Amino acid sequence: MDAHGGSGDRGELAHRRVHRWRRALLAALITAAVVVPLSAAARPTIPSPPPAVLPDPSAATLDRIYAANRANATEAARAAAAHGDEHRAAADRELADPSRRLLGFDGRGPGEATEVLGDLARADHVAVLVPGSDTSLDTYDRFRATAAALHGQLTATAPHGTRTAVVAWLGYRTPDTVSTTVLTTDRAEEAAPRLRAFTGELHGVVGSATTVSLVCHSYGTVVCARAAAHLDVDDLALLGSPGTGSDTAAALHTPARVWAARGRDDWVAEVPHVRTDLFGVTVGFGTDPISPAFGAHVFAAGRGGHSDYFRPGSVSLANLARIVLGDTTEVTRA
């Protein structure tokens, strides 16, 4: 009995040490986020015209929407160039290219863009990508590359005659990695109504038989979780998640299948999956989505790091395509 009791005491002490370590780490992260200077904070505001006035989205109005947003991106490029910001001007010019299909564009501030890869109106399966921190028009190419990789995988593996589309949704102001905003749900709470509105509009474009999957990365998983209860989607995939702000998949109150994955070399595994009150602010996002306690369908992501989920040839990209295509029995489990 004494031996068992001693083992239990040691286990309890170890548990307390881990809990204290997690709280200390969160405090250190908060402190670093507050005291480390943010280059973005000192950056001057980039002038840009307001977003274009668009017709209601439908299969019939897509071409007009694309054209109007490209024209707006052209104006934004001119304004950025006149302001002396050639990097932003170049990014806007790329988005204004006649080949681009923009459902939304706003060149003001960090900027927002929603881009379609594929034929949205005729798609049988649609994936909507929601990005994490430090995503803006200045880093948009990196985000678009993930959408292009997924679209390429879908095109290569979909059954003959099956049509797919991927939507890169940069529809919110993402938090900076080095800031307090990345440790709270505040930006996600602001973004959730926008994501709900977008998915509602999306269903006005695609047919009722079209499946829609949300593929959410890093802080984007917090956004998707905040919006989940009001989204008409078939699947919700959480990649490299710091937590969602909910203790369980059931607490998301979504009829969608909830999936989760984390690469073996993803640094987010070291982030404490707890919520705690520090300096009067609730920080952290709670239960690890790949843990049994959360209750998601955990799938294999290989050895990849935090930015490798969409790497061509990766286990994670292959599994994401299977999820989007509805081939759920073919998804390899972790």
Side-chain angles (χ1 to χ4, degrees):
M1 182 178 292
D2 290 341
H4 285 91
S7 176
D9 290 343
R10 287 194 297 272
E12 179 63 24
L13 286 172
H15 176 77
R16 289 177 181 174
R17 289 192 193 100
V18 169
H19 185 66
R20 285 197 298 269
W21 173 81
R22 287 177 172 178
R23 290 177 64 89
L25 180 57
L26 279 171
L29 287 170
I30 281 283
T31 302
V34 171
V35 302
V36 174
L38 298 179
S39 59
R43 183 172 185 169
T45 300
I46 301 170
S48 181
V53 177
L54 305 172
D56 292 336
S58 70
T61 61
L62 280 181
D63 286 342
R64 277 188 285 156
I65 290 172
Y66 295 156
N69 283 316
R70 287 195 300 265
N72 191 262
T74 298
E75 293 181 32
R78 294 193 189 106
H83 188 65
D85 194 325
E86 187 51 43
H87 178 75
R88 172 60 69 83
D92 291 340
R93 280 194 294 268
E94 287 184 12
L95 286 164
D97 187 272
S99 66
R100 307 297 279 266
R101 297 170 171 175
L102 302 180
L103 278 176
F105 176 82
D106 186 347
R108 298 171 298 180
E112 297 175 6
T114 299
E115 184 174 4
V116 176
L117 288 79
D119 187 349
L120 183 61
R122 302 173 65 210
D124 301 301
H125 304 283
V126 176
V128 179
L129 269 58
V130 180
S133 61
D134 287 330
T135 309
S136 67
L137 290 185
D138 295 308
T139 61
Y140 180 76
D141 277 352
R142 181 180 64 196
F143 176 46
R144 187 181 189 273
T146 66
L150 180 56
H151 188 242
Q153 184 73 18
L154 290 169
T155 301
T157 58
H160 179 70
T162 299
R163 293 164 295 205
T164 64
V166 175
V167 181
W169 186 79
L170 175 56
Y172 78 110
R173 185 177 179 184
T174 67
D176 297 312
T177 296
V178 186
S179 71
T180 55
T181 54
V182 81
L183 300 174
T184 74
T185 62
D186 289 354
R187 289 287 172 87
E189 298 287 357
E190 294 171 5
R194 294 180 167 211
L195 183 56
R196 292 173 193 143
F198 173 74
T199 56
E201 292 173 350
L202 184 62
H203 281 285
V205 176
V206 302
S208 59
T210 300
T211 68
V212 177
S213 302
L214 274 187
V215 179
C216 319
H217 178 241
S218 195
Y219 189 87
T221 65
V222 187
V223 175
C224 291
R226 296 295 89 185
H230 303 279
L231 298 179
D232 183 10
V233 297
D234 298 272
D235 291 274
L236 174 60
L238 310 172
L239 305 171
S241 178
T244 64
S246 296
D247 291 329
T248 64
L252 299 179
H253 301 296
T254 174
R257 285 175 296 232
V258 180
W259 303 83
R262 185 170 65 228
R264 289 197 293 273
D265 294 333
D266 190 338
W267 57 261
V268 84
E270 305 303 321
V271 174
H273 286 89
V274 296
R275 282 195 306 272
T276 190
D277 186 72
L278 292 174
F279 314 121
V281 177
T282 300
V283 299
F285 304 107
T287 309
D288 186 347
I290 71 165
S291 70
F294 189 76
H297 301 286
V298 179
F299 64 95
R303 297 191 59 85
H306 196 63
S307 301
D308 295 332
Y309 292 98
F310 300 89
R311 181 169 48 80
S314 65
V315 173
S316 54
L317 184 60
N319 277 329
L320 285 171
R322 291 167 184 143
I323 290 169
V324 173
L325 293 170
D327 297 331
T328 56
T329 59
E330 301 299 317
V331 175
T332 58
R333 303 307 173 103

